[in-house]
Amino acid sequence: MTTAESTEAVGTDEAANTVWKMTLGVDIADVGPCRKRIQVSVPETDITYLRTQLVNDYTAKAQVPGFRVGRVPRELVVNRFRQQLADELKQRVLVQSLEQLTSEHNIDPINEPDMDVESIDIPESGNLSYAFEVEVRPDVTIPDYATLTIKRPGREVTDEDIDKYLGRMLLEYGQRQESEDAAVAGDYVTVNISFEHDGRIARDMSNLSVRLQPTLRFQDGEIEGFDQLMSGAVAGDTRSGKLVISRESSYVPMRGETLTANIKVRSVSKFQPAALDAALAERMGFDSVEALRDSVRNVLQRHVTYRQRQSCRTQLLEQITEAANWELPEELVMKQVENALHREILEMQQAGFTPTEIRGREAALRQKSVSVTRQAMKEHFVLDKIATVENIEVTEGDIDVEISAMAFQSGESPRRVRARLEKSRVIENLEAQIRERKAVDIALERAKFEEVPLDEELVAPLTVEGVDDAICNSMFVRSPAAS
């Protein structure tokens, strides 16, 4: 649907402090999901006014040999600074018209306009017309939170939970010892993997160290029954397994394709978990094993809170996004895939999950990254609208608290964690995440709750070994003869 609109100019009486506005002609048309094409017409009178103001500014400040400042003839200023005047006039016309357009026509852009500025020239006479396309935020309607009913799962952290978590933690601090014995579940193997497709080698991965778990998960595919496949293998053995590339792989030609993974064992390592004693507690920064257990109890309580929050958030967003039937452009979703993954990983780090758990979760998310991102973006727009309506702000103190929690989990100093987040530009994700969490909290404060048990293990057995790589990243295909 196209709407033609115009904005009347306000007077130019500077003494009366009135604000001068352009008399814009604006035509807005929907050209796709969350995308608009905007045609703008700037009349000659507005261009003339801005050109006059600009020349006046230059004439008052120009420094030209043989003339005092403010005494340079106007014609000389126009001729001497012709290119600078043209460039700055274009900037003023475009900036003011775009700012006025955005404020007066409820344009809420997501990204910078898709506009070829270099091709736009300000005419010496006549009107200026230019057009561009821009991605805009969808029109979000927020329901009455008080009408929502949420089932809130919960449970107490037990000593058994703590023992299981410590058992998992001891694996992170254990040692590997290379062995000539055959591999069994739980051992580590160093392997070279050659991925074959239609008789040709699609990708090689060398010197990959992985633990024998039921699933070996890459970012775009996984080998099921991996521990059984590799059971009994020794250095020099080769085993083969099948896997299917995710239908949401970033490498489109291989989506849904079946590959053969030829796995050559270079070495087998047995694993000895660390001993839970005072020395390990001290190494981890605790005065005693009991202090370490207290810290683990707090971590697991954060796990409960995380899962409770995720469940409540999911139910809340399902209800408030029920009417969000607007589509998002595929290009926008693809741009945000990495952003959404970073935010999910941040939430797990804050909740105290181990690096092994996070790698497995990241690999799973990447296999369905497009659909996950599309849903995450819908949720983001809804929560952003709630945060805007509720005037939610994020303070430095809020960020410091999150960074401190992440520092505890990673064993780094808060300063190092902050520096890493800032260097990778993930700090902006963290701020947006906190803002959205506050929006969820406000909605949940007003919703009705039904308390239910959390029917899942806090520390589930590890079944996935995650690989921080995609099979089809930087993909090349060569013949077997070339290998």
Side-chain angles (χ1 to χ4, degrees):
M1 179 178 179
T2 302
T3 59
E5 305 173 66
S6 64
T7 304
E8 294 299 325
V10 179
T12 59
D13 184 0
E14 296 182 5
N17 292 323
T18 53
V19 178
W20 179 81
K21 290 186 178 182
M22 291 179 160
T23 309
L24 298 178
V26 179
D27 188 80
I28 304 173
D30 293 326
V31 291
C34 297
R35 192 170 183 87
K36 294 184 182 294
R37 177 174 175 80
I38 302 176
Q39 181 83 34
V40 181
S41 176
V42 183
E44 181 179 7
T45 53
D46 289 350
I47 297 172
T48 300
Y49 173 78
L50 289 177
R51 182 183 284 117
T52 300
Q53 295 293 96
L54 185 59
V55 172
N56 289 344
D57 292 343
Y58 267 68
T59 301
K61 300 174 183 177
Q63 296 182 359
V64 178
F67 296 93
R68 291 166 55 192
V69 174
R71 298 290 185 178
V72 184
R74 188 180 183 86
E75 295 76 10
L76 179 58
V77 169
V78 171
N79 289 328
R80 187 178 182 89
F81 300 101
R82 183 174 301 278
Q83 189 58 52
Q84 294 96 316
L85 286 166
D87 292 343
E88 190 166 338
L89 177 62
K90 180 162 77 169
Q91 181 182 16
R92 289 193 182 187
V93 170
L94 292 179
V95 169
Q96 180 150 345
S97 61
L98 287 171
E99 287 180 350
Q100 189 170 319
L101 163 70
T102 300
S103 65
E104 295 183 350
H105 296 276
N106 296 319
I107 303 297
D108 191 3
I110 299 173
N111 296 315
E112 292 294 319
D114 184 7
M115 180 168 57
D116 184 5
V117 176
E118 294 299 321
S119 67
I120 299 175
D121 292 314
I122 305 298
E124 288 297 327
S125 62
N127 300 340
L128 166 69
S129 291
Y130 66 91
F132 61 91
E133 292 189 5
V134 64
E135 291 169 339
V136 297
R137 295 178 184 276
D139 186 18
V140 177
T141 303
I142 302 174
D144 180 3
Y145 317 132
T147 64
L148 307 178
T149 300
I150 308 292
K151 293 182 178 180
R152 181 164 54 192
R155 56 163 288 188
E156 295 294 324
V157 175
T158 66
D159 288 339
E160 183 181 358
D161 294 327
I162 295 173
D163 291 339
K164 288 182 179 179
Y165 188 90
L166 284 171
R168 178 84 55 81
M169 184 176 285
L170 295 179
L171 296 179
E172 301 287 339
Y173 287 86
Q175 294 183 337
R176 305 180 201 177
Q177 182 65 48
E178 194 166 316
S179 172
E180 295 182 359
D181 293 341
V184 297
D187 287 348
Y188 280 85
V189 291
T190 300
V191 298
N192 294 341
I193 305 181
S194 178
F195 296 95
E196 185 179 335
H197 178 252
D198 288 344
R200 308 181 75 186
I201 303 303
R203 175 80 190 278
D204 286 324
M205 290 186 183
S206 300
N207 205 30
L208 192 66
S209 179
V210 293
R211 195 171 191 209
L212 298 192
Q213 299 282 21
T215 301
L216 179 62
R217 179 175 291 158
F218 300 89
Q219 294 175 351
D220 55 355
E222 55 192 49
I223 301 174
E224 296 288 356
F226 180 68
D227 54 346
Q228 297 178 14
L229 174 66
M230 302 305 296
S231 179
V234 296
D237 284 356
T238 298
R239 303 288 172 89
S240 296
K242 300 286 186 181
L243 76 159
V244 178
I245 298 299
S246 167
R247 294 193 177 276
E248 297 187 25
S249 167
S250 60
Y251 192 78
V252 177
M254 291 299 292
R255 289 179 176 177
E257 292 293 312
T258 299
L259 275 66
T260 299
N262 298 308
I263 308 165
K264 184 171 184 178
V265 180
R266 299 184 57 175
S267 65
V268 176
S269 295
K270 301 297 179 178
F271 187 76
Q272 181 62 46
L276 180 60
D277 54 23
L280 178 64
E282 184 177 355
R283 177 181 167 191
M284 297 177 65
F286 297 95
D287 296 334
S288 64
V289 172
E290 199 54 43
L292 173 58
R293 290 183 65 88
D294 289 341
S295 178
V296 168
R297 185 180 296 277
N298 290 334
V299 168
L300 289 177
Q301 188 55 58
R302 290 210 307 275
H303 279 216
V304 172
T305 302
Y306 169 82
R307 297 180 190 191
Q308 184 180 72
R309 179 183 296 277
Q310 291 298 98
S311 175
C312 291
R313 174 189 171 117
T314 298
Q315 294 175 66
L316 173 70
L317 291 173
E318 283 176 351
Q319 295 184 53
I320 65 179
T321 60
E322 190 174 355
N325 53 5
W326 25 265
E327 291 300 319
L328 295 170
E330 192 72 11
E331 299 85 358
L332 177 61
V333 174
M334 295 305 297
K335 288 178 189 174
Q336 294 297 323
V337 164
E338 286 298 319
N339 206 29
L341 286 167
H342 282 313
R343 295 178 70 172
E344 178 73 18
I345 292 167
L346 270 175
E347 285 200 358
M348 293 193 72
Q349 289 173 336
Q350 293 157 5
F353 288 88
T354 66
T356 300
E357 291 172 307
I358 291 172
R359 282 196 301 272
R361 174 65 173 159
E362 179 184 1
L365 287 172
R366 285 187 181 277
Q367 291 184 37
K368 49 182 181 178
S369 57
V370 176
S371 56
V372 168
T373 302
R374 183 177 285 109
Q375 180 60 27
M377 289 184 67
K378 284 195 172 187
E379 294 172 1
H380 161 73
F381 288 127
V382 172
L383 293 176
D384 183 67
K385 182 65 175 288
I386 292 174
T388 300
V389 170
E390 301 290 346
N391 297 315
I392 294 173
E393 295 182 355
V394 177
T395 67
E396 272 301 312
D398 294 329
I399 295 175
D400 288 341
V401 168
E402 299 296 338
I403 288 177
S404 294
M406 293 167 65
F408 168 79
Q409 182 60 29
S410 65
E412 301 173 276
S413 69
R415 179 182 297 179
R416 181 181 290 273
V417 171
R418 178 181 283 274
R420 175 162 49 81
L421 294 178
E422 289 177 345
K423 183 177 180 180
S424 60
R425 298 183 178 178
V426 179
I427 196 78
E428 296 176 2
N429 282 337
L430 180 58
E431 184 173 347
Q433 184 188 87
I434 296 170
R435 187 169 183 262
E436 291 183 10
R437 188 187 307 155
K438 288 186 174 185
V440 169
D441 289 343
I442 284 179
L444 291 178
E445 282 174 7
R446 302 175 192 172
K448 302 181 182 71
F449 285 99
E450 177 186 345
E451 303 295 338
V452 297
L454 177 62
D455 293 328
E456 58 181 276
E457 292 186 73
L458 279 184
V459 188
L462 288 176
T463 60
V464 175
E465 177 72 357
V467 177
D468 190 21
D469 198 357
I471 299 165
C472 298
N473 263 1
S474 306
M475 187 157 180
F476 64 95
V477 177
R478 54 186 175 81
S479 66
S483 62

